[in-house]
Amino acid sequence: MSKETVKPTQEVETAQNKEEQTEPQISFNQIAAVAEIIDLCSTRGAFKGQELEAVGQIRNAFSAFISFHAPKEEENPTSTPSAEGTEETSE
């Protein structure tokens, strides 16, 4: 039986490596999910007492961002049917 030696291969450059890297993007929903994850972890006791202040500050910053950038609901939504238009006539 002969021993074969394995030589490390060089990393092959791909088109992805050659392309200019794009700026990472974070969606609003991902930021909202982080605040929910922090709440969930806190509820489950994942943080030590001395960590709670720092975690709370970060959670509050995310929460403020979410509140500020959340889509505003209209006072008079057009999708709700009015009471006048739903009357039925019986003859």
mmCIF file with all atom_site columns, all heavy atoms in Angstrom, residues 60-81:
data_model
loop_
_atom_site.group_PDB
_atom_site.id
_atom_site.type_symbol
_atom_site.label_atom_id
_atom_site.label_alt_id
_atom_site.label_comp_id
_atom_site.label_asym_id
_atom_site.label_entity_id
_atom_site.label_seq_id
_atom_site.pdbx_PDB_ins_code
_atom_site.Cartn_x
_atom_site.Cartn_y
_atom_site.Cartn_z
_atom_site.occupancy
_atom_site.B_iso_or_equiv
_atom_site.pdbx_formal_charge
_atom_site.auth_seq_id
_atom_site.auth_comp_id
_atom_site.auth_asym_id
_atom_site.auth_atom_id
_atom_site.pdbx_PDB_model_num
ATOM 1   N N   . ASN A 1 60 ? -33.218 49.654 24.210 1.00 0.00 ? 60 ASN A N   1
ATOM 2   C CA  . ASN A 1 60 ? -33.924 50.928 24.158 1.00 0.00 ? 60 ASN A CA  1
ATOM 3   C C   . ASN A 1 60 ? -33.561 51.721 22.911 1.00 0.00 ? 60 ASN A C   1
ATOM 4   O O   . ASN A 1 60 ? -34.418 52.399 22.331 1.00 0.00 ? 60 ASN A O   1
ATOM 5   C CB  . ASN A 1 60 ? -33.646 51.749 25.420 1.00 0.00 ? 60 ASN A CB  1
ATOM 6   C CG  . ASN A 1 60 ? -34.311 51.162 26.642 1.00 0.00 ? 60 ASN A CG  1
ATOM 7   O OD1 . ASN A 1 60 ? -35.235 50.351 26.549 1.00 0.00 ? 60 ASN A OD1 1
ATOM 8   N ND2 . ASN A 1 60 ? -33.833 51.555 27.817 1.00 0.00 ? 60 ASN A ND2 1
ATOM 9   N N   . ALA A 1 61 ? -32.302 51.655 22.490 1.00 0.00 ? 61 ALA A N   1
ATOM 10  C CA  . ALA A 1 61 ? -31.888 52.348 21.270 1.00 0.00 ? 61 ALA A CA  1
ATOM 11  C C   . ALA A 1 61 ? -32.599 51.751 20.050 1.00 0.00 ? 61 ALA A C   1
ATOM 12  O O   . ALA A 1 61 ? -33.086 52.487 19.183 1.00 0.00 ? 61 ALA A O   1
ATOM 13  C CB  . ALA A 1 61 ? -30.372 52.263 21.102 1.00 0.00 ? 61 ALA A CB  1
ATOM 14  N N   . PHE A 1 62 ? -32.662 50.424 19.986 1.00 0.00 ? 62 PHE A N   1
ATOM 15  C CA  . PHE A 1 62 ? -33.375 49.776 18.885 1.00 0.00 ? 62 PHE A CA  1
ATOM 16  C C   . PHE A 1 62 ? -34.856 50.136 18.932 1.00 0.00 ? 62 PHE A C   1
ATOM 17  O O   . PHE A 1 62 ? -35.472 50.417 17.905 1.00 0.00 ? 62 PHE A O   1
ATOM 18  C CB  . PHE A 1 62 ? -33.205 48.253 18.943 1.00 0.00 ? 62 PHE A CB  1
ATOM 19  C CG  . PHE A 1 62 ? -31.965 47.766 18.276 1.00 0.00 ? 62 PHE A CG  1
ATOM 20  C CD1 . PHE A 1 62 ? -30.875 47.347 19.025 1.00 0.00 ? 62 PHE A CD1 1
ATOM 21  C CD2 . PHE A 1 62 ? -31.866 47.695 16.897 1.00 0.00 ? 62 PHE A CD2 1
ATOM 22  C CE1 . PHE A 1 62 ? -29.729 46.892 18.418 1.00 0.00 ? 62 PHE A CE1 1
ATOM 23  C CE2 . PHE A 1 62 ? -30.718 47.238 16.282 1.00 0.00 ? 62 PHE A CE2 1
ATOM 24  C CZ  . PHE A 1 62 ? -29.642 46.828 17.042 1.00 0.00 ? 62 PHE A CZ  1
ATOM 25  N N   . SER A 1 63 ? -35.439 50.123 20.116 1.00 0.00 ? 63 SER A N   1
ATOM 26  C CA  . SER A 1 63 ? -36.854 50.429 20.264 1.00 0.00 ? 63 SER A CA  1
ATOM 27  C C   . SER A 1 63 ? -37.159 51.862 19.823 1.00 0.00 ? 63 SER A C   1
ATOM 28  O O   . SER A 1 63 ? -38.167 52.112 19.165 1.00 0.00 ? 63 SER A O   1
ATOM 29  C CB  . SER A 1 63 ? -37.278 50.213 21.713 1.00 0.00 ? 63 SER A CB  1
ATOM 30  O OG  . SER A 1 63 ? -38.645 50.462 21.868 1.00 0.00 ? 63 SER A OG  1
ATOM 31  N N   . ALA A 1 64 ? -36.303 52.806 20.190 1.00 0.00 ? 64 ALA A N   1
ATOM 32  C CA  . ALA A 1 64 ? -36.494 54.202 19.781 1.00 0.00 ? 64 ALA A CA  1
ATOM 33  C C   . ALA A 1 64 ? -36.396 54.335 18.264 1.00 0.00 ? 64 ALA A C   1
ATOM 34  O O   . ALA A 1 64 ? -37.188 55.057 17.637 1.00 0.00 ? 64 ALA A O   1
ATOM 35  C CB  . ALA A 1 64 ? -35.460 55.093 20.464 1.00 0.00 ? 64 ALA A CB  1
ATOM 36  N N   . PHE A 1 65 ? -35.455 53.631 17.651 1.00 0.00 ? 65 PHE A N   1
ATOM 37  C CA  . PHE A 1 65 ? -35.300 53.654 16.201 1.00 0.00 ? 65 PHE A CA  1
ATOM 38  C C   . PHE A 1 65 ? -36.556 53.106 15.530 1.00 0.00 ? 65 PHE A C   1
ATOM 39  O O   . PHE A 1 65 ? -37.071 53.681 14.579 1.00 0.00 ? 65 PHE A O   1
ATOM 40  C CB  . PHE A 1 65 ? -34.070 52.833 15.788 1.00 0.00 ? 65 PHE A CB  1
ATOM 41  C CG  . PHE A 1 65 ? -33.831 52.813 14.312 1.00 0.00 ? 65 PHE A CG  1
ATOM 42  C CD1 . PHE A 1 65 ? -33.054 53.787 13.712 1.00 0.00 ? 65 PHE A CD1 1
ATOM 43  C CD2 . PHE A 1 65 ? -34.367 51.809 13.518 1.00 0.00 ? 65 PHE A CD2 1
ATOM 44  C CE1 . PHE A 1 65 ? -32.825 53.761 12.339 1.00 0.00 ? 65 PHE A CE1 1
ATOM 45  C CE2 . PHE A 1 65 ? -34.144 51.787 12.155 1.00 0.00 ? 65 PHE A CE2 1
ATOM 46  C CZ  . PHE A 1 65 ? -33.373 52.767 11.563 1.00 0.00 ? 65 PHE A CZ  1
ATOM 47  N N   . ILE A 1 66 ? -37.062 51.994 16.063 1.00 0.00 ? 66 ILE A N   1
ATOM 48  C CA  . ILE A 1 66 ? -38.256 51.362 15.499 1.00 0.00 ? 66 ILE A CA  1
ATOM 49  C C   . ILE A 1 66 ? -39.450 52.298 15.615 1.00 0.00 ? 66 ILE A C   1
ATOM 50  O O   . ILE A 1 66 ? -40.205 52.491 14.660 1.00 0.00 ? 66 ILE A O   1
ATOM 51  C CB  . ILE A 1 66 ? -38.536 50.017 16.208 1.00 0.00 ? 66 ILE A CB  1
ATOM 52  C CG1 . ILE A 1 66 ? -37.425 49.019 15.875 1.00 0.00 ? 66 ILE A CG1 1
ATOM 53  C CG2 . ILE A 1 66 ? -39.899 49.459 15.825 1.00 0.00 ? 66 ILE A CG2 1
ATOM 54  C CD1 . ILE A 1 66 ? -37.389 47.814 16.798 1.00 0.00 ? 66 ILE A CD1 1
ATOM 55  N N   . SER A 1 67 ? -39.640 52.897 16.778 1.00 0.00 ? 67 SER A N   1
ATOM 56  C CA  . SER A 1 67 ? -40.767 53.810 16.985 1.00 0.00 ? 67 SER A CA  1
ATOM 57  C C   . SER A 1 67 ? -40.691 55.025 16.067 1.00 0.00 ? 67 SER A C   1
ATOM 58  O O   . SER A 1 67 ? -41.698 55.471 15.530 1.00 0.00 ? 67 SER A O   1
ATOM 59  C CB  . SER A 1 67 ? -40.812 54.283 18.438 1.00 0.00 ? 67 SER A CB  1
ATOM 60  O OG  . SER A 1 67 ? -41.048 53.201 19.294 1.00 0.00 ? 67 SER A OG  1
ATOM 61  N N   . PHE A 1 68 ? -39.489 55.544 15.877 1.00 0.00 ? 68 PHE A N   1
ATOM 62  C CA  . PHE A 1 68 ? -39.313 56.734 15.048 1.00 0.00 ? 68 PHE A CA  1
ATOM 63  C C   . PHE A 1 68 ? -39.563 56.437 13.577 1.00 0.00 ? 68 PHE A C   1
ATOM 64  O O   . PHE A 1 68 ? -40.162 57.233 12.865 1.00 0.00 ? 68 PHE A O   1
ATOM 65  C CB  . PHE A 1 68 ? -37.899 57.298 15.235 1.00 0.00 ? 68 PHE A CB  1
ATOM 66  C CG  . PHE A 1 68 ? -37.666 58.582 14.483 1.00 0.00 ? 68 PHE A CG  1
ATOM 67  C CD1 . PHE A 1 68 ? -38.109 59.775 15.018 1.00 0.00 ? 68 PHE A CD1 1
ATOM 68  C CD2 . PHE A 1 68 ? -37.013 58.588 13.265 1.00 0.00 ? 68 PHE A CD2 1
ATOM 69  C CE1 . PHE A 1 68 ? -37.899 60.966 14.332 1.00 0.00 ? 68 PHE A CE1 1
ATOM 70  C CE2 . PHE A 1 68 ? -36.799 59.767 12.576 1.00 0.00 ? 68 PHE A CE2 1
ATOM 71  C CZ  . PHE A 1 68 ? -37.237 60.962 13.108 1.00 0.00 ? 68 PHE A CZ  1
ATOM 72  N N   . HIS A 1 69 ? -39.121 55.273 13.098 1.00 0.00 ? 69 HIS A N   1
ATOM 73  C CA  . HIS A 1 69 ? -39.191 54.955 11.675 1.00 0.00 ? 69 HIS A CA  1
ATOM 74  C C   . HIS A 1 69 ? -40.380 54.075 11.286 1.00 0.00 ? 69 HIS A C   1
ATOM 75  O O   . HIS A 1 69 ? -40.530 53.742 10.116 1.00 0.00 ? 69 HIS A O   1
ATOM 76  C CB  . HIS A 1 69 ? -37.897 54.270 11.222 1.00 0.00 ? 69 HIS A CB  1
ATOM 77  C CG  . HIS A 1 69 ? -36.722 55.193 11.236 1.00 0.00 ? 69 HIS A CG  1
ATOM 78  N ND1 . HIS A 1 69 ? -36.548 56.207 10.339 1.00 0.00 ? 69 HIS A ND1 1
ATOM 79  C CD2 . HIS A 1 69 ? -35.657 55.262 12.078 1.00 0.00 ? 69 HIS A CD2 1
ATOM 80  C CE1 . HIS A 1 69 ? -35.438 56.859 10.596 1.00 0.00 ? 69 HIS A CE1 1
ATOM 81  N NE2 . HIS A 1 69 ? -34.873 56.308 11.653 1.00 0.00 ? 69 HIS A NE2 1
ATOM 82  N N   . ALA A 1 70 ? -41.202 53.694 12.252 1.00 0.00 ? 70 ALA A N   1
ATOM 83  C CA  . ALA A 1 70 ? -42.348 52.836 11.943 1.00 0.00 ? 70 ALA A CA  1
ATOM 84  C C   . ALA A 1 70 ? -43.330 53.594 11.060 1.00 0.00 ? 70 ALA A C   1
ATOM 85  O O   . ALA A 1 70 ? -43.531 54.797 11.236 1.00 0.00 ? 70 ALA A O   1
ATOM 86  C CB  . ALA A 1 70 ? -43.037 52.395 13.224 1.00 0.00 ? 70 ALA A CB  1
ATOM 87  N N   . PRO A 1 71 ? -43.936 52.893 10.105 1.00 0.00 ? 71 PRO A N   1
ATOM 88  C CA  . PRO A 1 71 ? -44.928 53.549 9.256  1.00 0.00 ? 71 PRO A CA  1
ATOM 89  C C   . PRO A 1 71 ? -46.088 54.059 10.114 1.00 0.00 ? 71 PRO A C   1
ATOM 90  O O   . PRO A 1 71 ? -46.564 53.366 11.010 1.00 0.00 ? 71 PRO A O   1
ATOM 91  C CB  . PRO A 1 71 ? -45.408 52.442 8.323  1.00 0.00 ? 71 PRO A CB  1
ATOM 92  C CG  . PRO A 1 71 ? -44.450 51.322 8.477  1.00 0.00 ? 71 PRO A CG  1
ATOM 93  C CD  . PRO A 1 71 ? -43.745 51.505 9.771  1.00 0.00 ? 71 PRO A CD  1
ATOM 94  N N   . LYS A 1 72 ? -46.510 55.275 9.829  1.00 0.00 ? 72 LYS A N   1
ATOM 95  C CA  . LYS A 1 72 ? -47.608 55.873 10.588 1.00 0.00 ? 72 LYS A CA  1
ATOM 96  C C   . LYS A 1 72 ? -48.932 55.390 10.009 1.00 0.00 ? 72 LYS A C   1
ATOM 97  O O   . LYS A 1 72 ? -49.117 55.334 8.808  1.00 0.00 ? 72 LYS A O   1
ATOM 98  C CB  . LYS A 1 72 ? -47.560 57.406 10.505 1.00 0.00 ? 72 LYS A CB  1
ATOM 99  C CG  . LYS A 1 72 ? -46.222 58.001 10.915 1.00 0.00 ? 72 LYS A CG  1
ATOM 100 C CD  . LYS A 1 72 ? -45.933 57.765 12.374 1.00 0.00 ? 72 LYS A CD  1
ATOM 101 C CE  . LYS A 1 72 ? -44.641 58.431 12.765 1.00 0.00 ? 72 LYS A CE  1
ATOM 102 N NZ  . LYS A 1 72 ? -43.758 57.653 13.545 1.00 0.00 ? 72 LYS A NZ  1
ATOM 103 N N   . GLU A 1 73 ? -49.865 55.030 10.911 1.00 0.00 ? 73 GLU A N   1
ATOM 104 C CA  . GLU A 1 73 ? -51.186 54.609 10.469 1.00 0.00 ? 73 GLU A CA  1
ATOM 105 C C   . GLU A 1 73 ? -52.043 55.842 10.234 1.00 0.00 ? 73 GLU A C   1
ATOM 106 O O   . GLU A 1 73 ? -51.982 56.814 10.980 1.00 0.00 ? 73 GLU A O   1
ATOM 107 C CB  . GLU A 1 73 ? -51.840 53.720 11.526 1.00 0.00 ? 73 GLU A CB  1
ATOM 108 C CG  . GLU A 1 73 ? -51.135 52.402 11.702 1.00 0.00 ? 73 GLU A CG  1
ATOM 109 C CD  . GLU A 1 73 ? -51.862 51.506 12.692 1.00 0.00 ? 73 GLU A CD  1
ATOM 110 O OE1 . GLU A 1 73 ? -53.063 51.715 12.914 1.00 0.00 ? 73 GLU A OE1 1
ATOM 111 O OE2 . GLU A 1 73 ? -51.209 50.615 13.234 1.00 0.00 ? 73 GLU A OE2 1
ATOM 112 N N   . GLU A 1 74 ? -52.874 55.783 9.193  1.00 0.00 ? 74 GLU A N   1
ATOM 113 C CA  . GLU A 1 74 ? -53.759 56.900 8.892  1.00 0.00 ? 74 GLU A CA  1
ATOM 114 C C   . GLU A 1 74 ? -54.906 56.926 9.889  1.00 0.00 ? 74 GLU A C   1
ATOM 115 O O   . GLU A 1 74 ? -55.351 55.899 10.374 1.00 0.00 ? 74 GLU A O   1
ATOM 116 C CB  . GLU A 1 74 ? -54.317 56.752 7.474  1.00 0.00 ? 74 GLU A CB  1
ATOM 117 C CG  . GLU A 1 74 ? -53.259 56.847 6.407  1.00 0.00 ? 74 GLU A CG  1
ATOM 118 C CD  . GLU A 1 74 ? -53.859 56.713 5.023  1.00 0.00 ? 74 GLU A CD  1
ATOM 119 O OE1 . GLU A 1 74 ? -55.069 56.975 4.874  1.00 0.00 ? 74 GLU A OE1 1
ATOM 120 O OE2 . GLU A 1 74 ? -53.123 56.357 4.111  1.00 0.00 ? 74 GLU A OE2 1
ATOM 121 N N   . GLU A 1 75 ? -55.388 58.150 10.183 1.00 0.00 ? 75 GLU A N   1
ATOM 122 C CA  . GLU A 1 75 ? -56.485 58.270 11.129 1.00 0.00 ? 75 GLU A CA  1
ATOM 123 C C   . GLU A 1 75 ? -57.790 57.756 10.538 1.00 0.00 ? 75 GLU A C   1
ATOM 124 O O   . GLU A 1 75 ? -58.620 57.204 11.228 1.00 0.00 ? 75 GLU A O   1
ATOM 125 C CB  . GLU A 1 75 ? -56.639 59.728 11.569 1.00 0.00 ? 75 GLU A CB  1
ATOM 126 C CG  . GLU A 1 75 ? -55.497 60.199 12.448 1.00 0.00 ? 75 GLU A CG  1
ATOM 127 C CD  . GLU A 1 75 ? -55.693 61.624 12.915 1.00 0.00 ? 75 GLU A CD  1
ATOM 128 O OE1 . GLU A 1 75 ? -56.822 62.137 12.853 1.00 0.00 ? 75 GLU A OE1 1
ATOM 129 O OE2 . GLU A 1 75 ? -54.701 62.230 13.339 1.00 0.00 ? 75 GLU A OE2 1
ATOM 130 N N   . ASN A 1 76 ? -57.999 57.963 9.239  1.00 0.00 ? 76 ASN A N   1
ATOM 131 C CA  . ASN A 1 76 ? -59.210 57.518 8.560  1.00 0.00 ? 76 ASN A CA  1
ATOM 132 C C   . ASN A 1 76 ? -58.843 56.500 7.502  1.00 0.00 ? 76 ASN A C   1
ATOM 133 O O   . ASN A 1 76 ? -58.720 56.832 6.328  1.00 0.00 ? 76 ASN A O   1
ATOM 134 C CB  . ASN A 1 76 ? -59.939 58.695 7.906  1.00 0.00 ? 76 ASN A CB  1
ATOM 135 C CG  . ASN A 1 76 ? -60.423 59.700 8.928  1.00 0.00 ? 76 ASN A CG  1
ATOM 136 O OD1 . ASN A 1 76 ? -60.862 59.305 10.002 1.00 0.00 ? 76 ASN A OD1 1
ATOM 137 N ND2 . ASN A 1 76 ? -60.356 60.982 8.606  1.00 0.00 ? 76 ASN A ND2 1
ATOM 138 N N   . PRO A 1 77 ? -58.660 55.242 7.883  1.00 0.00 ? 77 PRO A N   1
ATOM 139 C CA  . PRO A 1 77 ? -58.275 54.248 6.881  1.00 0.00 ? 77 PRO A CA  1
ATOM 140 C C   . PRO A 1 77 ? -59.393 54.047 5.860  1.00 0.00 ? 77 PRO A C   1
ATOM 141 O O   . PRO A 1 77 ? -60.573 54.030 6.203  1.00 0.00 ? 77 PRO A O   1
ATOM 142 C CB  . PRO A 1 77 ? -58.028 52.979 7.691  1.00 0.00 ? 77 PRO A CB  1
ATOM 143 C CG  . PRO A 1 77 ? -58.718 53.194 8.992  1.00 0.00 ? 77 PRO A CG  1
ATOM 144 C CD  . PRO A 1 77 ? -58.798 54.672 9.204  1.00 0.00 ? 77 PRO A CD  1
ATOM 145 N N   . THR A 1 78 ? -59.021 53.910 4.599  1.00 0.00 ? 78 THR A N   1
ATOM 146 C CA  . THR A 1 78 ? -60.008 53.765 3.529  1.00 0.00 ? 78 THR A CA  1
ATOM 147 C C   . THR A 1 78 ? -60.428 52.321 3.332  1.00 0.00 ? 78 THR A C   1
ATOM 148 O O   . THR A 1 78 ? -61.413 52.061 2.667  1.00 0.00 ? 78 THR A O   1
ATOM 149 C CB  . THR A 1 78 ? -59.439 54.311 2.205  1.00 0.00 ? 78 THR A CB  1
ATOM 150 O OG1 . THR A 1 78 ? -58.225 53.610 1.928  1.00 0.00 ? 78 THR A OG1 1
ATOM 151 C CG2 . THR A 1 78 ? -59.157 55.797 2.296  1.00 0.00 ? 78 THR A CG2 1
ATOM 152 N N   . SER A 1 79 ? -59.719 51.390 3.908  1.00 0.00 ? 79 SER A N   1
ATOM 153 C CA  . SER A 1 79 ? -60.036 49.983 3.714  1.00 0.00 ? 79 SER A CA  1
ATOM 154 C C   . SER A 1 79 ? -61.185 49.499 4.604  1.00 0.00 ? 79 SER A C   1
ATOM 155 O O   . SER A 1 79 ? -61.747 48.457 4.369  1.00 0.00 ? 79 SER A O   1
ATOM 156 C CB  . SER A 1 79 ? -58.802 49.116 3.957  1.00 0.00 ? 79 SER A CB  1
ATOM 157 O OG  . SER A 1 79 ? -58.393 49.251 5.293  1.00 0.00 ? 79 SER A OG  1
ATOM 158 N N   . THR A 1 80 ? -61.563 50.279 5.618  1.00 0.00 ? 80 THR A N   1
ATOM 159 C CA  . THR A 1 80 ? -62.635 49.884 6.520  1.00 0.00 ? 80 THR A CA  1
ATOM 160 C C   . THR A 1 80 ? -63.970 50.311 5.924  1.00 0.00 ? 80 THR A C   1
ATOM 161 O O   . THR A 1 80 ? -64.163 51.487 5.612  1.00 0.00 ? 80 THR A O   1
ATOM 162 C CB  . THR A 1 80 ? -62.456 50.543 7.906  1.00 0.00 ? 80 THR A CB  1
ATOM 163 O OG1 . THR A 1 80 ? -61.152 50.263 8.373  1.00 0.00 ? 80 THR A OG1 1
ATOM 164 C CG2 . THR A 1 80 ? -63.498 50.047 8.883  1.00 0.00 ? 80 THR A CG2 1
ATOM 165 N N   . PRO A 1 81 ? -64.892 49.381 5.737  1.00 0.00 ? 81 PRO A N   1
ATOM 166 C CA  . PRO A 1 81 ? -66.185 49.767 5.162  1.00 0.00 ? 81 PRO A CA  1
ATOM 167 C C   . PRO A 1 81 ? -66.973 50.626 6.144  1.00 0.00 ? 81 PRO A C   1
ATOM 168 O O   . PRO A 1 81 ? -66.937 50.412 7.352  1.00 0.00 ? 81 PRO A O   1
ATOM 169 C CB  . PRO A 1 81 ? -66.889 48.432 4.912  1.00 0.00 ? 81 PRO A CB  1
ATOM 170 C CG  . PRO A 1 81 ? -66.210 47.456 5.799  1.00 0.00 ? 81 PRO A CG  1
ATOM 171 C CD  . PRO A 1 81 ? -64.817 47.959 6.003  1.00 0.00 ? 81 PRO A CD  1
#
